Amino acid sequence: MTRPQPLGAPPAPVPAGADERVAAIRAGLGGRALVFVGMMGSGKSAIGQRLAARLGLPFVDADAEIVAAAAGMTIPEIFAKYGERYFRDGERRVIMRLLNCGQIVLATGGGAFMDPRTRERIGERAVSIWLDADLKTLMKRVRRKNDRPLLHTDDPEETLRQLLETRRPVYELSDIRVESRDEPQDVMVEETLGALAAELPRIDAMRRAAQKKDFTKAMTHLHPGRAQAEQGATHRETVHVALGGRAYDILIGSHLVEEAGERIKRIAPGAACAVVTDENVARLHLPALEDSLKKAGVRYSTIVVKPGEGSKSLATFGRVCDEALAAKIERRDLIVAFGGGVVGDLAGYVAASLRRGSRFVQIPTTLLSQVDSSVGGKTGVNSAYGKNLIGAFHQPSLVLADVDVLRTLSLREFRAGYAEVVKYGLIGDKRFFEWLEADADAVFHSRAEQICAVAVSCETKATIVARDETEQGDRALLNLGHTFGHAFELLTHYDSERLVHGEGVAIGMACAARFSARLGLCAQEDARRVARHLASVGLPTEIRQIPGWDEDVHAIVSAMYQDKKVEGGALTFILMRGVGEAFIAKSVEPAEVLGFLNDEFARA
């Protein structure tokens, strides 16, 4: 499929021989996407694909993208295993990402437009076309397939009628309506082109009016009732980690610290908690959490550690355990990890060990911890021999990722977390990486994009963790860049002035991509693309960028042998066959690694 252009880029040339009407529509769209909405069976995919060919634009089917993101599970299988709510959450995130990739023609599922957040994003980035088919036409079409999970009822026709009745008022909020009839598809494409040519000037006029600080009035005039409908938009996402009896939810959005007390009380009525945090988070955010716990009537104590990797030690672990026991925290009480990755790993290991296992809640306060370390149950502390070599798998009972606290992060810390976000695109989601390439600045500055980036990252990790909780198989993919990165951290003695974890991962991912290219596994351009994107947001991509670096290649390889993925004395790396195509490479020859590292230093 042709890769969509980034938003703001000049539109692709109009295909040779295109008629004047097509040229006018392309100009009238001004770089915006076209999004088809409507009921199942209304023809969104078939007509959308043909319209895209006429306009010379890429076509994307949102349902196909959802299936790809779900590792090939069909939509009925997703519904059956996880339920409609889970599907709708994933659908919303997929559409949000697609609309950030540039000018495309997009066919959406029948229920996608029902979500206020999806409608809002379509309104910002696209022109929506409603294919309106009557019940008789829809039933005739959907009977041909048995892949409509919402119609798996005793009376599919009555179910479809009720769905149509419920959804019609929302579909009417779209920009353009085209009646979908039993006509040849080329006829329907012609009618759609005619509607676009006629309606785009009106839509543009109303949107210009909306920009003059009269948004509500303009939207109401364009679509009566639309402004009221958009008021229902919220800023929350939920990702479910499916681990049977140890399953839990990750809540992502705003104001979650303020709600933490009630949510903790809900999952553990009558329980007390020990809040483990560091000095920086205590100064900035602890009062809000304490107020929430007080209002909910939750008894709590606080344990404050020093910020930085130095607190991930056996000495600090022992002190936190003693303070929690002194506070009379019992097995049925909770440990609350309130901080970044260091606090989360430390507090999680305390919870795994205290009274041989207590429940705990993660409230991550950095982007890195929200998208990575707070999810999946890896807990532990560092050793003089390497990072995270002492610990346990211990799943939280709840994760609350409040994006509001990210506003207090330094740019350096936010960038460090962004490296882990990029990782999820590189290991298995090329479309997500393209979304980040197209509009990384939005992730740094927009709450909506931050929520989406965190949710997609958590969703990817949750899917992998559900398959391989204790890293016996493909969970190791989540360590892309970490074999290199952890070695760099060890050799800098975890000195955060010189290198923080996300920076080590950024250099490590760039190294892994270049190493893959050197081995002939991926194209050189893929390796350059990875480094180019990381560098574009200010992340380091070369070993020489680590301040005060004076270690040689043999020291790096020696540090790599302390990596937790080493098996039988053999090195394991996560390498790439391309963007979004990572794999586990076992028993990599040390000579290959030394040769690559020598090239890296020679190139520097």
Side-chain angles (χ1 to χ4, degrees):
M1 178 186 143
T2 305
R3 180 171 170 254
Q5 291 184 305
L7 290 175
V14 177
D19 59 33
E20 292 182 2
R21 181 177 57 173
V22 166
I25 290 170
R26 287 285 299 268
L29 286 171
R32 288 170 296 185
L34 282 173
V35 176
F36 280 90
V37 304
M39 290 291 291
M40 61 185 85
S42 60
K44 302 184 294 294
S45 296
I47 295 171
Q49 195 162 10
R50 286 166 172 74
L51 181 72
R54 288 289 300 274
L55 294 174
L57 296 175
F59 171 76
V60 184
D61 186 302
D63 282 353
E65 294 288 326
I66 293 165
V67 169
M73 288 180 65
T74 66
I75 289 175
E77 286 171 343
I78 296 171
F79 265 74
K81 186 170 183 179
Y82 299 115
E84 183 177 3
R85 178 183 171 187
Y86 178 92
F87 174 81
R88 295 300 175 200
D89 285 343
E91 177 182 56
R92 178 173 58 251
R93 292 190 283 272
V94 164
I95 292 172
M96 186 173 185
R97 289 150 55 197
L98 290 171
L99 291 178
N100 262 34
C101 286
Q103 192 174 32
I104 59 175
V105 176
L106 174 64
T108 64
F113 205 57
M114 300 302 104
D115 188 288
R117 286 163 286 185
T118 301
R119 291 200 300 277
E120 182 178 17
R121 182 48 54 99
I122 291 172
E124 292 170 353
R125 300 291 176 104
V127 172
S128 52
I129 302 172
W130 170 31
L131 291 182
D132 181 16
D134 61 27
L135 180 62
K136 182 179 179 181
T137 301
L138 293 173
M139 278 304 302
K140 179 180 178 181
R141 293 172 179 172
V142 299
R143 280 196 180 104
R144 299 168 189 165
K145 295 183 179 180
N146 191 35
D147 61 349
R148 313 286 184 174
L150 292 180
L151 297 186
H152 292 171
T153 64
D154 293 337
D155 189 347
E157 183 168 354
E158 176 59 20
T159 301
L160 187 63
R161 186 192 67 75
Q162 292 177 7
L163 278 173
L164 181 59
E165 185 178 303
T166 300
R167 292 177 176 180
R168 178 175 289 277
V170 181
Y171 290 146
E172 288 173 349
L173 304 178
S174 58
D175 295 312
I176 295 171
R177 174 187 173 273
V178 174
E179 185 181 353
S180 178
R181 306 184 310 278
D182 268 339
E183 298 278 358
Q185 289 170 350
D186 287 340
V187 172
M188 296 306 309
V189 171
E190 284 298 320
E191 291 192 12
T192 305
L193 286 168
L196 280 166
E199 294 293 324
L200 279 175
R202 174 186 66 86
I203 294 167
D204 279 343
M206 296 310 301
R207 290 189 178 185
R208 283 194 296 272
Q211 292 172 358
K212 296 179 181 180
K213 296 184 179 181
D214 198 10
F215 178 81
T216 303
K217 184 177 179 180
M219 287 296 104
T220 303
H221 184 240
L222 179 59
H223 298 301
R226 178 171 186 166
Q228 182 179 359
E230 301 302 350
Q231 290 174 3
T234 60
H235 293 281
R236 295 284 170 86
E237 296 280 357
T238 301
V239 173
H240 185 66
V241 184
L243 288 171
R246 298 180 313 288
Y248 56 94
D249 286 334
I250 308 161
L251 275 60
I252 305 142
S254 299
H255 310 301
L256 287 168
V257 171
E258 299 168 20
E259 300 174 13
E262 284 297 330
R263 294 189 177 277
I264 288 170
K265 185 177 178 180
R266 199 176 304 162
I267 65 167
C273 64
V275 178
V276 182
T277 189
D278 69 30
E279 294 168 352
N280 292 337
V281 176
R283 184 180 69 256
L284 293 167
H285 304 297
L286 185 56
L289 178 59
E290 289 181 325
D291 186 56
S292 176
L293 293 169
K294 289 174 185 174
K295 287 180 178 177
V298 176
R299 179 175 70 83
Y300 70 93
S301 59
T302 57
I303 303 170
V304 181
V305 302
K306 291 186 178 300
E309 284 286 334
S311 286
K312 276 181 62 172
S313 67
L314 285 171
T316 306
F317 166 76
R319 176 174 74 82
V320 174
C321 284
D322 283 343
E323 291 193 30
L325 291 169
K328 298 181 179 179
I329 296 300
E330 301 174 356
R331 180 177 290 180
R332 295 185 181 277
D333 293 333
L334 293 167
I335 303 294
V336 176
F338 188 43
V342 168
V343 166
D345 286 357
L346 172 66
Y349 190 32
V350 169
S353 307
L354 198 73
R355 302 188 189 277
R356 295 191 174 92
S358 303
R359 298 176 69 187
F360 83 113
V361 171
Q362 287 270 19
I363 309 180
T365 60
T366 63
L367 180 60
L368 191 150
S369 59
Q370 290 187 359
V371 302
D372 190 65
S373 59
S374 66
V375 179
K378 279 189 179 180
T379 72
V381 296
N382 301 332
S383 161
Y385 294 98
K387 186 165 181 173
N388 298 329
L389 296 181
I390 304 167
F393 287 96
H394 190 61
Q395 299 294 342
S397 298
L398 176 68
V399 180
L400 302 176
D402 190 334
V403 297
D404 291 340
V405 302
L406 301 181
R407 290 178 292 188
T408 61
L409 291 181
S410 68
L411 178 58
R412 184 187 184 197
E413 285 291 342
F414 196 95
R415 284 172 175 158
Y418 183 80
E420 292 280 5
V421 174
V422 172
K423 177 189 76 178
Y424 291 106
L426 294 177
I427 62 174
D429 193 341
K430 183 178 180 180
R431 181 71 69 184
F432 185 43
F433 184 78
E434 290 174 345
W435 180 68
L436 296 170
E437 278 186 309
D439 207 2
D441 186 66
V443 178
F444 278 75
H445 298 105
S446 164
R447 178 185 291 168
E449 265 77 10
Q450 286 169 4
I451 292 170
C452 182
V454 173
V456 171
S457 300
C458 289
E459 186 173 54
T460 302
K461 184 165 187 178
T463 300
I464 293 173
V465 168
R467 294 198 302 263
D468 180 21
E469 182 180 2
T470 58
E471 200 170 313
Q472 303 302 309
D474 63 356
R475 181 167 177 168
L477 291 171
L478 298 169
N479 289 304
L480 175 66
H482 287 58
T483 302
F484 288 100
H486 284 170
F488 303 148
E489 289 183 89
L490 177 61
L491 292 171
T492 54
H493 308 289
Y494 307 113
D495 181 354
S496 60
E497 293 296 319
R498 296 176 63 192
L499 188 73
V500 295
H501 176 67
E503 292 168 343
V505 169
I507 299 171
M509 289 191 297
C511 284
R514 289 193 291 267
F515 189 28
S516 299
R518 186 181 192 274
L519 295 173
L521 298 168
C522 76
Q524 291 287 349
E525 176 52 31
D526 285 332
R528 287 191 289 268
R529 185 179 174 190
V530 172
R532 187 164 57 241
H533 180 61
L534 294 168
S536 74
V537 299
L539 282 163
T541 59
E542 307 273 356
I543 302 172
R544 61 182 171 83
Q545 292 175 278
I546 301 173
W549 184 265
D550 61 358
E551 304 287 351
D552 63 17
V553 296
H554 295 284
I556 298 173
V557 174
S558 178
M560 287 176 173
Y561 274 100
Q562 291 295 344
D563 185 81
K564 60 183 179 293
K565 296 186 297 301
V566 169
E567 289 185 16
L571 293 172
T572 297
F573 285 83
I574 311 305
L575 300 178
M576 295 167 46
R577 295 190 178 93
V579 172
E581 297 180 71
F583 69 100
I584 302 166
K586 295 189 175 184
S587 301
V588 176
E589 290 295 328
E592 293 280 10
V593 184
L594 285 167
F596 167 72
L597 290 171
N598 278 319
D599 286 353
E600 287 287 288
F601 284 112
R603 196 163 55 86

